Amino acid sequence: MNNIVFISGSESATKSLWLAEIQKQLINETILLPEQIGEAQAKQVDIAIVANPDPKDLARFPNLVWIQSLWAGVEQLIAEVVDKPVKLVKLDDPQLAKTMAESVLAWTLYLQRNMPGYAQQQVNKQWRQLPCITSAELRVSILGAGALGIAALETLKKLDYQVSCWSRTPKQLNGIQSYLGTAGLHTMLKKTDILINLLPLTPETYHLLGKELLSTLPKGAKLINFSRGAVIDTKALLNLLETGHINHAVLDVFEHEPLAPTDAIWSNPNITVLPHISAPTNMCSAAKVIAKNITSYRENNVIPIYVDVKQGY
Ligand code: NAP
């Protein structure tokens, strides 16, 4: 049987934990690190499981049929495989979607219930009751209605928020308004109190949220970015926060991570900074998803649903 290679840019303790967890789920497979595989044997490897792999390691395996990513965001990997026949499979784990949905709910509530304002009032020893808006009154829109977006939309809907989404293809989700195209995006943004970004980073979404689109939001709207920093033009966002057009932004992702200690974003009172934690991959559930994908491929020769590298996601 062919071997599987596990290529990870993580530090060695994390790498070992991942390898042990995946191997535990795939007892009939041999999963090796690149350094354990010689040149001749490298030609027999048909599947790579990867997490931030060094491109040089990946290039040593010329006959890969598919690559399984440990992450849901694969924009860097796409650049490695774009001209090759190998297929790229992103992590599609219901637990990851649930974790993201929890984060979306948590930070929507944080904004809805004025937590940044109350934190500031405490610093100033100020006793002031701010308006309390009900979920049914609040218009929450999500950019992206994929694996993570749909779970978040459905979670918000259950709590009565007025929920909308924007995606490339139409969605039929109970009680959720679906928008498409540039006109649809403008229409949705005009009716949005909290905008949540869950779009993958692609050539089309790079700096999509710039001055023009962000200005389309009603004055006082709030923003949450949980996908990739570069989907937002940070300079435009900072200007709109400064003028008060956007009231507050919760940013979990940045164009350059980690955010530099000297970056003024840290001390901007209208920004909540999170260190890329909205949906960490869960080792146990991810290993099970990956094992299922590989077992199914071995049994049926069917590659799991893979990324459309031309679309960029
Ligand atoms: P996905 O299943 O591929 O869904 C992507 C969604 O975006 C789809 O609904 C797609 O539309 C839409 N889309 C893509 N390009 C578009 C465009 N140009 N115009 C309109 N809609 C567009 O991705 P996912 O698994 O939900 O993950 C989303 C992103 O979350 C990942 O790419 C990653 O960057 C990020 N992420 C962040 C964390 C974190 O901890 N911060 C963790 C995991 C993932 P269609 O449905 O019509 O195809």
Side-chain angles (χ1 to χ4, degrees), residues 90 145-148 166 168-169 171 204 226 228 252 278-279 313:
K90 77 179 178 76
L148 306 186
W166 183 72
R168 189 191 296 276
T169 55
K171 305 293 165 205
E204 274 188 41
F226 280 167
R228 287 294 181 263
D252 182 46
S278 51
Y313 69 99

Side-chain angles (χ1 to χ4, degrees), residues 157-213:
K157 188 64 212 164
K158 276 189 210 144
L159 288 174
D160 287 341
Y161 291 96
Q162 294 180 38
V163 195
S164 302
C165 64
W166 183 72
S167 50
R168 189 191 296 276
T169 55
K171 305 293 165 205
Q172 287 202 318
L173 302 163
N174 210 2
I176 296 167
Q177 182 81 45
S178 161
Y179 292 93
L180 306 174
T182 310
L185 181 54
H186 278 85
T187 307
M188 184 179 84
L189 292 181
K190 280 184 199 150
K191 299 190 282 184
T192 295
D193 300 310
I194 299 180
L195 179 68
I196 301 165
N197 175 38
L198 283 177
L199 287 170
L201 178 60
T202 70
E204 274 188 41
T205 65
Y206 174 80
H207 281 197
L208 174 77
L209 294 178
K211 186 179 171 197
E212 193 216 334
L213 282 180

Side-chain angles (χ1 to χ4, degrees), residues 4-245:
I4 298 172
V5 64
F6 177 58
I7 314 176
S8 164
S10 309
E11 43 110 27
S12 67
T14 309
K15 209 187 305 190
S16 303
L17 285 173
W18 268 111
L19 190 55
E21 192 66 39
I22 299 167
Q23 188 68 80
K24 192 170 87 185
Q25 299 296 332
L26 283 167
I27 46 172
N28 296 324
E29 298 277 348
T30 308
I31 307 170
L32 300 169
L33 297 169
E35 56 270 29
Q36 295 171 310
I37 305 176
E39 286 316 300
Q41 208 187 359
K43 297 197 175 86
Q44 308 298 318
V45 175
D46 58 347
I47 303 171
I49 303 169
V50 306
N52 308 331
D54 182 334
K56 277 190 257 135
D57 281 336
L58 207 49
R60 282 193 50 225
F61 301 92
N63 296 323
L64 290 175
V65 178
W66 59 285
I67 298 172
Q68 170 72 61
S69 169
L70 290 191
W71 317 138
V74 288
E75 68 279 356
Q76 283 172 3
L77 274 172
I78 287 178
E80 301 302 325
V81 303
V82 72
D83 299 321
K84 300 183 181 130
V86 62
K87 306 296 184 216
L88 176 58
V89 178
K90 77 179 178 76
L91 182 68
D92 192 355
D93 177 359
Q95 179 55 55
L96 184 79
K98 190 166 179 278
T99 304
M100 182 57 93
E102 286 168 0
S103 281
V104 164
L105 178 60
W107 297 100
T108 297
L109 284 165
Y110 168 84
L111 294 173
Q112 177 188 354
R113 302 305 295 265
N114 300 307
M115 291 194 212
Y118 285 122
Q120 197 52 50
Q121 285 188 195
Q122 185 168 348
V123 171
N124 300 331
K125 300 190 172 118
Q126 192 182 11
W127 184 276
R128 188 159 72 103
Q129 289 158 353
L130 299 171
C132 181
I133 300 163
T134 65
S135 55
E137 292 169 300
L138 202 66
R139 300 164 301 177
V140 184
S141 303
I142 301 192
L143 299 170
L148 306 186
I150 288 178
L153 288 158
E154 287 175 341
T155 298
L156 292 172
K157 188 64 212 164
K158 276 189 210 144
L159 288 174
D160 287 341
Y161 291 96
Q162 294 180 38
V163 195
S164 302
C165 64
W166 183 72
S167 50
R168 189 191 296 276
T169 55
K171 305 293 165 205
Q172 287 202 318
L173 302 163
N174 210 2
I176 296 167
Q177 182 81 45
S178 161
Y179 292 93
L180 306 174
T182 310
L185 181 54
H186 278 85
T187 307
M188 184 179 84
L189 292 181
K190 280 184 199 150
K191 299 190 282 184
T192 295
D193 300 310
I194 299 180
L195 179 68
I196 301 165
N197 175 38
L198 283 177
L199 287 170
L201 178 60
T202 70
E204 274 188 41
T205 65
Y206 174 80
H207 281 197
L208 174 77
L209 294 178
K211 186 179 171 197
E212 193 216 334
L213 282 180
L214 291 175
S215 302
T216 309
L217 290 163
K219 184 167 166 45
K222 295 162 186 183
L223 175 73
I224 298 175
N225 188 10
F226 280 167
S227 73
R228 287 294 181 263
V231 178
I232 295 179
D233 175 351
T234 308
K235 218 168 136 191
L237 172 63
L238 291 173
N239 284 336
L240 288 162
L241 285 164
E242 181 76 34
T243 63
H245 188 81

